Amino acid sequence: KDKPVKIYEPIARSHDLTSTDFEELMHWSMVLSFYKSAQWHKAHLQLETLLATDPQKSLYLVFSKRLMEFLVKPPPSDWY
């Protein structure tokens, strides 16, 4: 595999989203934004908010582990 592939997960129809769902999506959007701009600490802080509400969500756990690794040893500047 030479190129990354985007993966989407349907959550709900937009008119079925609760305010809690919307808030979670906004936090996740911020995590990704900080992550993509290599702002590891800010991304991890946002992710901690999400983990507090859903500590077993696999996606959050994977990103938390990765962010902890990047905080210790950042990837090369051309990583993304």
Side-chain angles (χ1 to χ4, degrees), residues 2-18:
D2 296 328
K3 294 184 178 182
V5 177
K6 290 184 179 183
I7 299 174
Y8 297 93
E9 176 185 5
I11 298 169
R13 294 184 175 164
S14 59
H15 62 274
D16 291 333
L17 285 175
T18 66

Side-chain angles (χ1 to χ4, degrees), residues 4 6 32-33 35-38 40 63 70 75-80:
K6 290 184 179 183
L32 287 180
S33 179
Y35 182 86
K36 290 176 181 179
S37 63
W40 316 124
F63 269 82
F70 286 175
S77 59
D78 64 346
W79 75 283
Y80 188 80

Side-chain angles (χ1 to χ4, degrees), residues 1 7 21 44-46 49 59-60 62-63 65 72 75:
K1 179 172 142 180
I7 299 174
D21 294 333
H44 197 264
L45 287 175
Q46 284 296 318
T49 301
L59 179 65
Y60 300 160
V62 167
F63 269 82
K65 181 179 182 222
V72 173

